[in-house]
């Protein structure tokens, strides 16, 4: 059994900037215990456009489904992702948590497994919008990560502000 460190380490996978509600929630999950976060940010444009549009329709967000074609992809998505990551790290630090992170553009689950091993993480938190199609077929990050990383995986739905 893994010996508990003095700081609880969470790998946090996100696809958009953390809201203040998200930050409050993840920083209080373990009560008053000190928490360190390693944040992995995947640029939203790297995910399948069709699946995003289907999710938008399923959520009744028709205007968002129409705008899916406007989402930056590839290199154009990198800048917004870096800004989202910087915002999220700063928000976590303002709540007193240690936080570092990186952008993951390819093979996110392989990178997740490597980061869990490198940091000796206690858990993985996948904070995402609902992805109905992927969740139905258990192809979402949390479902796939549970079979890969060797630590508990908590799936939470991100909030909008």
């Amino acid at each position: 059994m893994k010996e508990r460190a003095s700081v609880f380490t969470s790998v946090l996978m996100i696809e958009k900037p953390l809201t203040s509600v998200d930050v409050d929630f993840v920083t209080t999950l373990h009560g008053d215990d000190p928490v360190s976060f390693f944040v992995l940010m995947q640029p939203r444009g790297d995910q399948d456009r069709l699946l995003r549009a289907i999710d938008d329709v399923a959520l009744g967000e028709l205007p968002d489904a129409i705008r899916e074609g406007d989402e930056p992809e590839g290199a154009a998505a990198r800048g917004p992702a870096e800004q989202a990551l910087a915002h999220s790290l700063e928000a976590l630090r303002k709540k007193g948590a240690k936080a570092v992170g990186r952008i993951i553009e390819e093979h996110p689950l392989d990178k997740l497994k490597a980061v869990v091993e490198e940091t000796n993480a206690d858990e993985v938190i996948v904070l995402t919008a609902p992805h109905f199609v992927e969740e139905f077929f258990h192809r979402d990050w949390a479902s796939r990560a549970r079979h890969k990383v060797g630590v508990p995986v908590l799936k939470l739905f991100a909030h909008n502000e």
Side-chain angles (χ1 to χ4, degrees):
M1 187 167 154
K2 185 167 143 179
E3 190 173 312
R4 179 98 155 80
S6 60
V7 174
F8 199 88
T9 302
S10 295
V11 177
L12 179 59
M13 291 188 76
I14 62 174
E15 59 189 6
K16 65 178 194 166
L18 295 175
T19 66
S20 59
V21 175
D22 295 331
V23 171
D24 288 342
F25 190 61
V26 299
T27 57
T28 59
L29 276 174
H30 300 288
D32 294 331
D33 292 342
V35 180
S36 174
F37 292 95
F38 196 108
V39 181
L40 296 176
M41 171 80 190
Q42 183 181 31
R44 190 163 190 258
D46 285 353
Q47 295 136 13
D48 186 284
R49 185 183 304 171
L50 176 61
L51 291 180
R52 292 193 322 253
I54 292 170
D55 288 337
D56 290 338
V57 170
L59 290 168
E61 303 291 341
L62 295 179
D64 290 344
I66 292 167
R67 288 191 298 269
E68 283 301 341
D70 298 335
E71 282 288 329
E73 294 187 8
R78 178 85 185 191
E82 288 174 349
Q83 290 176 343
L85 178 60
H87 163 83
S88 299
L89 294 175
E90 182 63 25
L92 290 166
R93 291 176 189 140
K94 283 182 179 176
K95 284 291 185 176
K98 293 180 182 178
V100 296
R102 74 172 69 135
I103 303 294
I104 50 169
E105 295 176 289
E106 296 180 7
H107 312 291
L109 292 173
D110 292 338
K111 297 277 178 18
L112 172 63
K113 182 178 181 183
V115 167
V116 166
E117 291 170 357
E118 289 167 20
T119 62
N120 198 25
D122 297 291
E123 70 181 356
V124 170
I125 300 172
V126 177
L127 188 66
T128 182
H131 295 291
F132 295 113
V133 175
E134 292 175 353
E135 290 168 23
F136 181 78
F137 292 107
H138 302 287
R139 300 300 303 153
D140 58 299
W141 282 352
S143 296
R144 294 180 353 199
R146 285 187 180 105
H147 302 288
K148 192 161 187 109
V149 297
V151 297
V153 176
L154 179 62
K155 178 179 181 175
L156 302 174
F157 291 118
H159 293 82
N160 293 323
E161 279 190 321

